[in-house]
């Protein structure tokens, strides 16, 4: 059996993600980057709109972008920190991501933004902070072209 790209590198690529449409991105949608078949499904139960489904417990989750409202309720329940919400408004992009480090950044703070490999790819401004299920759910404003790349943040302090 040949290894998939993410099994070789440890990170998935944008090519392996089902891309939302422009309309979906304007409204905001969850991007699920869960590729391993493990027995896990809290994301399915967390969605109040039935947008996430799974054929069986150890299948990978599927998202219906037409049903997703971008509410972010699924972000903090994922033990794999594999769910993000992305949105575009004009030239700005917004990425909502799970954050389990301390201290939790503050609204208005400028932070470094990191890609899936943990490399700094720019700066962003924190626009929303909440804590759910003991996990920070952080929204960061970035250039709209970075929404499918930014997957973590690093405070500068
Ligand atoms: S962002 Fe909200 S509507 Fe979309 S999949 Fe997650 S819980 Fe469901
Ligand atoms: S909760 Fe996270 S790790 Fe578990 S199936 Fe859903 S996306 Fe995958």
């Amino acid at each position: 059996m040949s290894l998939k790209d993410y099994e070789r590198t440890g990170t998935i690529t944008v090519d392996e993600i089902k891309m939302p449409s422009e309309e979906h991105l304007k409204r905001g949608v969850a991007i699920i980057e869960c590729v391993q078949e493990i027995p896990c499904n809290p994301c399915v139960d967390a969605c109040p709109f039935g947008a996430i489904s799974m054929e069986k417990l150890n299948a990978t989750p599927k998202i219906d972008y037409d049903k997703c409202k971008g509410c972010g309720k699924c972000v903090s329940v994922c033990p794999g920190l594999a769910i993000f919400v992305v949105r575009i408004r004009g030239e700005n992009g917004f990425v909502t991501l799970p954050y389990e480090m301390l201290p939790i950044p503050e609204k208005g703070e400028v932070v470094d933004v990191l890609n899936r490999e943990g490399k700094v790819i720019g700066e962003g401004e924190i626009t929303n902070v909440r804590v759910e299920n003991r996990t920070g759910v952080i929204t960061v404003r970035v250039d709209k072209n970075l929404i499918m790349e930014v997957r973590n943040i690093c405070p500068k302090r």
Side-chain angles (χ1 to χ4, degrees), residues 32 34 38 40-43 54 61 77-80 82-83:
I32 302 183
C34 176
I38 52 172
C40 179
N41 71 349
C43 54
M54 226 177 245
V77 303
C78 173
I83 306 181

Side-chain angles (χ1 to χ4, degrees), residues 30 46-49 51-52 63 67-74 85:
C47 180
F49 304 102
I52 305 176
I63 180 155
K67 290 184 181 172
C68 176
K69 311 286 185 209
C71 71
K73 288 207 179 304
C74 52
V85 174

Side-chain angles (χ1 to χ4, degrees), residues 75-142:
V75 173
S76 69
V77 303
C78 173
L81 309 181
I83 306 181
F84 310 85
V85 174
V86 297
R87 177 177 285 114
I88 288 178
R89 289 273 155 79
E91 294 305 306
N92 291 317
F94 296 84
V95 181
T96 299
L97 49 85
Y99 188 75
E100 293 194 324
M101 307 290 278
L102 291 173
I104 297 276
E106 294 171 5
K107 190 173 172 181
E109 193 171 329
V110 174
V111 296
D112 287 331
V113 293
L114 316 180
N115 66 9
R116 293 178 185 82
E117 296 172 338
K119 290 183 185 154
V120 176
I121 54 172
E123 287 185 339
E125 181 190 351
I126 304 296
T127 59
N128 196 44
V129 176
R130 59 184 202 267
V131 177
E132 296 172 357
N133 302 308
R134 289 186 286 177
T135 297
V137 179
I138 308 293
T139 301
V140 60
R141 179 171 59 81
V142 295

